[in-house]
Amino acid sequence: MQKSSGKAWDQVWIGANIATMVAGAEPYGNIRNAALAVKGERIAWIGPAAAAQSKAAAQGLAAQDAQGLWMTPGLIDCHTHLVYGGNRVEEFEQRLCGVTYEDIARAGGGILSTVQATRAASHDELHRSAAVRAHRLMSEGVTTIEVKSGYGLELDAERRLLEVARDLGKELPVSIKKTFLGLHSLPPEYTARRQDFVSEVSGPWLESLAAAGLVDAVDAFCETVAFSLTETERLLEAARHLGLRAHVHAGQLSDMGAAELAAKWGALSADHLEYLSAAGARSLAAAGTVAVLLPAAYFTLRQQTPPPIASLREAGVPLAVATDCNPGTSPCTSILLALNMACTLFGLTPEEALSGATRHAARALGALDDIGTLEVGKAADIAFWRIERPAELCYGLGANPCAAVVHRGKLRAYDGRRINR
């Protein structure tokens, strides 16, 4: 039970089962037959339903009957490429006919085909398509989405992607974290000037975008088909000089030491990690870097080597789960499907998976002090579910039991069946 903040309440829900997702003795941080009160944009009180009734009455506040719904923190999709032009369904067909991801990339397809479509798209076109994807995630209880650039690969186009991400956060009832994925792929115009591109991305591009308030963190695809350790390190060093945090695409296709590099520079997260040594896992743990698992990409690429979950557990690395929503390797806009895949493909327990889309996802964004658990003082980002137990969120395929969503204290979605408002 948590004590009152001493402030008056604006609203209170009584008769809920609450999965606070606070780490502790109770699975999922469960509190049954509980109540939760909100003041403004913050959680003001959590405790037994019986105690909340009298406290609400003393304030002249009508309690809202949650009717046994489960409440969780709003879900967090901590790795997406939500804003892009076109699609890559043709490559999906090619892969099913035996062409590998690496072969497609080396032939000028893959990321570069999306770059071409993205550069040709206007701000409004990019905004419309990204908003559709955002709404799909939001319908499944997502209240925070990380959005990467990386499909422009020229300054103006990268700025346009980040501006779309910023505008989505202003216009939709969802929080957006903006990541400059400057080192995603080498654009054709820099084929003979590779180091010039790395210098531009790590220098004037990053400085300009950061000065415009468009960058919360940076990212790089550190891989044999993308950028080297040395090239990635230049971006991470530049980000640190500007006071920006970092993520690293690491170990998706090979283990070239990208996880260790992410740990060296104190990255918030290392993402993918299908190829990771025990030493790499220990490095992540020592640095407090979160392992972000992306099972939908693993599934789409039909990979055969899952992340070494046992090594990550043994080392004590926090495990987050995200959709990796992108047009090529993970055309996924369902966080609930990603949770199921994390369990069925990678062997996470449902509690680990749900922690990965709440508490550990918040940690991967450097935002655990504000979101990721239901605790007094934190943002009132709450998802209501018509389920019998929290594990059900990892169980259904194609099901969406989300009944309502509160973002920053305001009800933003409601499934039409009775829940007092």
Side-chain angles (χ1 to χ4, degrees):
M1 181 196 311
Q2 301 192 39
K3 295 182 179 179
S4 169
S5 64
K7 298 180 181 179
W9 305 343
D10 293 327
Q11 50 190 330
V12 58
W13 290 274
I14 292 178
N17 296 307
I18 302 178
T20 66
M21 300 312 297
V22 175
E26 289 295 321
Y28 304 93
N30 284 352
I31 309 173
R32 290 185 176 270
N33 193 22
L36 182 148
V38 169
K39 173 65 176 178
E41 296 186 352
R42 298 280 153 184
I43 297 171
W45 190 89
I46 301 176
Q53 190 74 58
S54 59
K55 290 177 180 291
Q59 299 178 45
L61 178 66
Q64 303 175 77
D65 185 1
Q67 301 178 328
L69 293 176
W70 277 89
M71 301 169 72
T72 71
L75 302 188
I76 301 165
D77 196 348
C78 65
H79 181 132
T80 84
H81 306 254
L82 195 76
V83 185
Y84 58 83
N87 64 57
R88 302 231 295 271
V89 66
E90 181 179 354
E91 293 173 18
F92 174 69
E93 290 184 293
Q94 288 178 321
R95 287 198 304 272
L96 292 174
C97 292
V99 183
T100 68
Y101 177 81
E102 294 92 331
D103 290 340
I104 291 171
R106 292 191 178 100
I111 293 168
L112 292 180
S113 66
T114 298
V115 170
Q116 183 178 7
T118 300
R119 287 179 175 181
S122 68
H123 180 284
D124 288 346
E125 289 169 334
L126 293 170
H127 185 284
R128 281 196 297 271
S129 62
V132 170
R133 292 185 279 272
H135 277 291
R136 289 172 181 165
L137 290 171
M138 292 163 60
S139 73
E140 293 189 349
V142 171
T143 52
T144 300
I145 306 172
E146 185 262 10
V147 179
K148 303 179 189 295
S149 68
Y151 287 129
L153 301 186
E154 59 185 13
L155 180 55
D156 287 346
E158 288 291 296
R159 180 181 289 112
R160 188 159 65 249
L161 293 173
L162 292 167
E163 287 174 344
V164 169
R166 176 201 61 196
D167 292 349
L168 289 171
K170 290 180 177 180
E171 297 162 16
L172 300 178
V174 67
S175 300
I176 299 290
K177 298 289 186 178
K178 306 175 297 296
T179 298
F180 174 48
L181 178 52
L183 298 181
H184 197 193
S185 185
L186 186 68
E189 62 268 28
Y190 281 92
T191 299
R193 298 185 295 123
R194 183 182 184 92
Q195 293 313 308
D196 288 346
F197 177 70
V198 175
S199 295
E200 289 289 312
V201 166
S202 305
W205 290 20
L206 176 59
E207 292 165 6
S208 174
L209 296 170
L214 293 172
V215 181
D216 297 315
V218 305
D219 198 349
F221 187 15
C222 189
E223 189 51 80
T224 54
V225 298
F227 293 93
S228 69
L229 292 168
T230 300
E231 292 162 344
T232 299
E233 190 162 30
R234 289 183 65 181
L235 179 60
L236 300 184
E237 184 175 14
R240 177 172 289 183
H241 284 314
L242 292 173
L244 297 170
R245 301 300 300 271
H247 310 281
V248 178
H249 282 60
Q252 182 181 15
L253 306 173
S254 64
D255 183 7
M256 52 187 281
E260 288 89 338
L261 181 67
K264 173 183 175 181
W265 287 93
L268 288 169
S269 70
D271 304 37
H272 285 291
L273 298 176
E274 280 80 3
Y275 295 87
L276 176 71
S277 67
R282 291 192 293 270
S283 295
L284 295 177
T289 299
V290 177
V292 177
L293 307 177
L294 305 171
Y298 175 91
F299 171 81
T300 301
L301 291 175
R302 296 191 295 173
Q303 291 178 271
Q304 300 297 314
T305 303
I309 300 302
S311 292
L312 289 164
R313 282 184 183 134
E314 182 179 1
V317 180
L319 304 176
V321 178
T323 63
D324 194 16
C325 173
N326 76 74
T329 62
S330 184
C332 176
T333 51
S334 172
I335 190 69
L336 298 180
L337 180 60
L339 294 181
N340 176 278
M341 288 181 169
C343 296
T344 58
L345 299 179
F346 293 167
L348 267 63
T349 68
E351 186 173 5
E352 285 177 322
L354 190 54
S355 297
T358 53
R359 183 172 72 248
H360 295 320
R363 189 187 302 274
L365 297 178
L368 184 57
D369 61 339
D370 189 49
I371 56 176
T373 59
L374 297 179
E375 297 181 81
V376 170
K378 285 197 172 184
D381 287 358
I382 307 162
F384 292 78
W385 307 94
R386 299 185 187 282
I387 55 177
E388 296 181 3
R389 54 192 296 178
E392 196 171 334
L393 298 179
C394 304
Y395 167 69
L397 291 173
N400 181 8
C402 189
V405 181
V406 171
H407 175 253
R408 302 287 153 160
K410 295 182 179 179
L411 188 72
R412 73 161 198 214
Y414 169 57
D415 73 355
R417 287 175 283 180
R418 181 173 175 76
I419 171 175
N420 292 334
R421 289 183 284 177

